[in-house]
């Protein structure tokens, strides 16, 4: 049985809940990624934000990304998984909630992210195909 920590990307970065969406967008650009975890001042996961969230929930709504904080877009309880959990549990969670990236925590702190790509590079072809199919149902890909 493989643990999530064996598959995850370990250099995950957070945007602070009190940082602006403009700062979040710049961090996404610099990291060449489309999603970031939102972390509180206590280092705990508060949510996830995507480039799409910034465009649809801020820019298209006429809000100022320089004055809108990342925490303003963190809604509900974020999905995450423990670093020592079995990777199949992560896949099941990603399929169930139709998400492509799942923050990984240890002792309630962000330690990485496991993505559809991380799994694709390291797991059986059949299981990866099922994951992509289930996630893509919602996203229309």
């Amino acid at each position: 049985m493989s643990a999530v920590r064996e598959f995850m990307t370990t250099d995950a970065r957070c945007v602070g809940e009190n940082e602006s969406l403009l700062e979040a967008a710049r961090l996404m650009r610099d990291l060449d990624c489309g999603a970031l975890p939102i972390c509180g001042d206590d280092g705990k996961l508060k949510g996830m934000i995507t480039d799409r969230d910034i465009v649809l929930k801020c820019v298209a709504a006429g809000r100022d990304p320089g004055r809108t904080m990342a925490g303003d877009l963190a809604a509900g309880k974020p999905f995450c998984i423990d670093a020592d959990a079995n990777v199949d549990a992560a896949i099941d969670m990603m399929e169930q909630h139709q998400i492509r990236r799942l923050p990984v925590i240890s002792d309630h702190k962000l330690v990485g992210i496991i993505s559809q790509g991380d799994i694709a590079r390291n797991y059986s072809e059949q299981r990866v195909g099922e994951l992509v199919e289930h996630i893509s149902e919602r996203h229309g890909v």
Side-chain angles (χ1 to χ4, degrees):
M1 298 247 201
S2 299
V4 168
R5 72 174 62 251
E6 296 171 39
F7 290 75
M8 70 183 191
T9 299
T10 57
D11 60 350
R13 297 266 310 271
C14 284
V15 62
E17 67 181 334
N18 296 312
E19 290 183 74
S20 74
L21 295 182
L22 184 58
E23 292 170 51
R26 287 180 177 154
L27 186 56
M28 286 181 195
R29 176 199 60 203
D30 294 347
L31 297 173
D32 190 28
C33 67
L36 289 170
I38 301 170
C39 292
D41 294 334
D42 57 1
K44 293 184 180 179
L45 185 66
K46 303 296 182 188
M48 286 285 289
I49 188 168
T50 66
D51 48 7
R52 181 176 169 87
D53 292 332
I54 294 170
V55 170
L56 297 180
K57 296 177 181 177
C58 178
V59 177
R63 296 169 72 183
D64 179 354
R67 293 178 177 226
T68 305
M69 301 301 116
D72 294 343
L73 298 190
K77 185 177 187 293
F79 299 110
C80 60
I81 193 153
D82 190 89
D84 293 319
N86 184 293
V87 73
D88 283 323
I91 292 171
D92 290 344
M93 185 178 289
M94 293 168 82
E95 287 177 341
Q96 178 183 357
H97 300 290
Q98 296 180 311
I99 52 178
R100 297 171 193 238
R101 297 167 199 90
L102 188 59
V104 181
I105 60 168
S106 182
D107 294 323
H108 306 288
K109 306 273 189 202
L110 181 76
V111 294
I113 291 184
I114 188 164
S115 70
Q116 184 176 329
D118 295 326
I119 294 167
R121 285 187 293 278
N122 297 291
Y123 219 61
S124 78
E125 200 172 301
Q126 178 183 350
R127 190 69 169 113
V128 171
E130 293 169 0
L131 172 63
V132 171
E133 181 180 338
H134 288 120
I135 290 173
S136 296
E137 286 173 357
R138 174 176 161 203
H139 294 287
V141 176

